[in-house]
Amino acid sequence: MSEEQNGKLEDQSWPELKLPDLLFTDTVQQIHASIENEWDSLRQSACQTAAGRALWNHVVHDPLAELFAGETYLRSLYGKIKKDRLTNAREVSGVILAVRTMWFDSKIEAALNSFYGGAAQVVLLGAGMDARAYRLSCLKETDVFEVDFPEVLQMKTTILQAATESTNDCQHAKMTAKSLNRVEADIRDNDWLQKLQISGFVPEKNTVWVLEGILYYLSHSHAMEVLKIIAANCTLTHTVLLADFMNKPSTTLSSSIFHFYSDWPDHLLPSLGFSDVSLSQIGDPDAHFGLLHDPLNLFNKLRSLPRSLQTHPDDGTPCCRLYLVQASGSPNQAIP
């Protein structure tokens, strides 16, 4: 798709909200009622992310996202999008999530291609309601591992079973990855890597680690421990880390939820053992996908300012940044 064509995506008439019949079956409604009543904000964020992918499906193309999101989160976000478009908002709700998803999709494919053949693995830490194993064709020769809380993965499995049993939605639940293993583990505990290996993960096999929308929910010590464990794999095999990092001002958006931050992740990761690190900000050439044209969009305004600034010089507001980072290393390149 050309830049000109891609740039028109945001301007097209937004489709009316039409929810799939499967969302209204007893099984799926009961699941989402439990999610809304019993899950904490961290776990519920998995469904909110799915809602963003569902309502930006014209660019993300995730046929399972509606089922994973549930009616409540879909209607809530749709209402925000409708309001944003009526008021000509510079940034339509969910667009950053769409850009982030597309950035990770493109980098996963590029990383797998960089391995020059041979078996590969993709590990999704804090996988939530991620459906990449069902929608990315680049995973057809790849073993995928989803790591998350037991209740999240169990709910996800139940929803997928309902889709498989439905004559209208069974095609959506067809896996594109070579294999998929769900690993019930809390990455804040010290046994998640062991559980991953028990599930079939091979430390010596080329691996892409995906940490999308997860690091900033962790404490500083837990996040650093996860990053160190992944970095240690650089001494064993070709290892690629894909992650998004908040800077310090971003954590103030919800101080009760967001904890870990790094203002300079491109400095942090080499210190842990990654030999090659590249950083993008939302709106950069590889992180806009024709969806962020407005030069006064918050993220475009921030890109022109030094990253060391914590507050905007024009109005004193916090400079809330989201960094998209790719890091890699291998046994013959790893920093000792």
Side-chain angles (χ1 to χ4, degrees), residues 42 125 149 186-192 211 214-230 259-261 272:
L42 173 57
L125 293 186
F149 300 116
D186 185 340
I187 61 174
R188 295 172 298 186
D189 295 337
N190 57 15
D191 62 348
W192 68 265
L211 281 71
I214 186 65
L215 277 174
Y216 25 85
Y217 287 100
L218 304 177
S219 68
H220 183 81
S221 59
H222 285 141
M224 288 299 295
E225 186 61 27
V226 168
L227 292 173
K228 288 175 183 176
I229 288 172
I230 296 172
H259 307 289
F260 176 73
Y261 66 87
L272 300 180

Side-chain angles (χ1 to χ4, degrees), residues 91-106:
E91 178 189 318
V92 177
S93 294
V95 68
I96 300 308
L97 195 146
V99 169
R100 190 185 75 180
T101 298
M102 296 169 73
W103 183 88
F104 275 91
D105 286 354
S106 65

